[in-house]
Amino acid sequence: MSVTKYECDVFSANDFVVTWGINEGDPLGAPAICVLGDIYCLHAASRLYPLTLRLEATISVLEDPSGNLPASAPVTPLCTLRMMAHDGDILEIVMLEIDGHRFGLPLSPIRAEIAYSLIEIDTADTALRLSKIVHGCFGAGTRVTMADGRLMPIEQLTQDDMVLTRDHGAQPVRWLGKVTLRGYGAFAPVIIPEGGLGNLRSLKLAPRQRIFLYQRGDRRLGTRAEVLLQAQHLVGSAGIVQSEGGFVDYYSLAFDDHQIIYAEGVPMESLLVSRAATTRLPAALQSELHERYPHLNHKPHFAQEMSSDMLSGPLDDTILARG
């Protein structure tokens, strides 16, 4: 039986403190005591950490790599907070209660030590709007291998362009989506230097973009020769880093079926178009995709997905070279 699961990044409400206003000195509290106009700031030492949620009739914790929360702990969305930074940047946070503790789930990049003024508290719409969380995307300039062998920047692709896929040869592009976000926190791009994975040029990927690795021999990740590994899990290996700052353009690419394509010569997955997967896209991209291609409903690629708890420390470069 398949499980509808969502990966997200949260921070402890205790790390988001009022620096000016009625509740000055207090951490993010229950919706009833939050006051419009209060100014919040995320501690410099705070961090976002991953959670995997199970979405069924109720929401519960499926996996917590940090070990802070018990599996199956119920998750209660309390409200959605809308905030504005001094530079006009709008931030939305879903406040969650899990196992007696409050957490913030940012739906757009949140920057530490930046002042955010609370401008709206929405307790009516408490749904987890995970549709705004970026899943797998490529940075602008990423070159994709076409059916004729040419390398074309992803932003120049158009509908029906023929792209080379690993398992099904030439396949037509059905949809190309773009979103521009601040490159901070869980939205900061992962940078793979030229040659780090055998890539022809430096690669800029969204943290959850999955890379395909084909492993030979007995030393391997997981239990299969073929695995899909999120870019964020490669940080610290082969000179791979996560770089914060500025804005980043992310592009998503979809075909009739879920495919493995080649980005700067490295096999990576295309957008997985399914009810569970596309709700991780920003709302505008999700709506456009479903309106234009309502028939698309992919089966995931057979490769094994590697989660963070299946990895331990930086990966051996010889393993990464087997992709």
Side-chain angles (χ1 to χ4, degrees):
M1 179 179 177
S2 62
V3 175
T4 301
K5 65 178 184 178
Y6 294 87
E7 294 177 344
C8 57
D9 297 278
V10 301
F11 60 85
S12 170
N14 292 327
D15 290 337
F16 201 47
V17 176
V18 178
T19 57
W20 184 91
I22 300 298
N23 293 316
E24 186 172 350
D26 293 339
L28 182 62
I33 66 173
C34 290
V35 177
L36 296 182
D38 277 1
I39 294 178
Y40 289 79
C41 188
L42 188 67
H43 285 316
S46 65
R47 65 182 183 88
L48 272 66
Y49 68 91
L51 277 182
T52 303
L53 305 180
R54 181 197 305 267
L55 269 64
E56 295 178 340
T58 59
I59 306 171
S60 61
V61 174
L62 182 61
E63 297 173 5
D64 176 14
S66 71
N68 294 325
L69 298 171
S72 301
V75 177
T76 304
L78 300 177
C79 67
T80 299
L81 303 175
R82 187 174 174 86
M83 300 185 168
M84 180 181 289
H86 59 81
D87 58 2
D89 189 30
I90 298 297
L91 169 68
E92 283 189 320
I93 297 173
V94 177
M95 191 189 302
L96 307 175
E97 184 169 344
I98 310 174
D99 196 37
H101 303 281
R102 283 188 299 274
F103 298 88
L105 168 57
L107 299 183
S108 55
I110 181 171
R111 295 172 284 167
E113 298 189 297
I114 295 294
Y116 290 98
S117 179
L118 181 58
I119 60 176
E120 184 180 347
I121 306 169
D122 187 353
T123 57
D125 181 11
T126 57
L128 277 180
R129 286 184 279 170
L130 297 172
S131 60
K132 295 188 178 180
I133 299 178
V134 172
H135 184 44
C137 300
F138 302 91
T142 301
R143 297 181 303 170
V144 175
T145 302
M146 309 301 290
D148 60 5
R150 289 178 299 129
L151 297 175
M152 182 177 291
I154 191 168
E155 62 269 27
Q156 295 180 17
L157 292 175
T158 59
Q159 184 180 342
D160 296 328
D161 280 349
M162 301 300 288
V163 170
L164 179 66
T165 70
R166 179 182 184 272
D167 302 303
H168 301 102
Q171 292 293 318
V173 173
R174 291 306 180 205
W175 180 81
L176 180 70
K178 175 188 176 184
V179 63
T180 301
L181 294 171
R182 285 187 179 274
Y184 288 90
F187 299 81
V190 172
I191 309 298
I192 302 174
E194 180 179 332
L197 297 179
N199 41 305
L200 303 173
R201 287 185 184 174
S202 175
L203 271 166
K204 179 184 292 185
L205 305 173
R208 291 193 173 91
Q209 172 62 44
R210 296 192 300 182
I211 299 163
F212 178 89
L213 295 179
Y214 179 77
Q215 308 165 107
R216 301 176 179 85
D218 296 329
R219 292 186 63 247
R220 61 179 60 176
L221 302 172
T223 58
R224 304 181 201 165
E226 302 91 353
V227 298
L228 286 167
L229 187 63
Q230 291 183 12
Q232 63 184 346
H233 298 327
L234 297 177
V235 173
S237 304
I240 299 169
V241 299
Q242 192 165 13
S243 177
E244 289 195 341
F247 290 84
V248 59
D249 292 332
Y250 284 127
Y251 290 84
S252 298
L253 194 61
F255 300 86
D256 287 325
D257 297 294
H258 189 212
Q259 300 289 353
I260 301 298
I261 63 174
Y262 296 91
E264 297 297 345
V266 178
M268 302 191 189
E269 70 168 347
S270 65
L271 178 66
L272 174 59
V273 183
S274 68
R275 182 178 179 184
T278 55
T279 51
R280 298 173 178 175
L281 284 172
L285 296 190
Q286 180 189 169
S287 176
E288 177 188 352
L289 181 56
H290 283 302
E291 286 177 6
R292 293 180 61 183
Y293 303 103
H295 63 285
L296 293 183
N297 187 27
H298 296 165
K299 292 182 179 179
H301 192 273
F302 61 82
Q304 181 180 10
E305 179 178 3
M306 300 296 297
S307 58
S308 58
D309 61 336
M310 300 171 72
L311 305 170
S312 58
L315 302 179
D316 189 323
D317 289 356
T318 59
I319 292 178
L320 297 182
R322 299 174 188 178

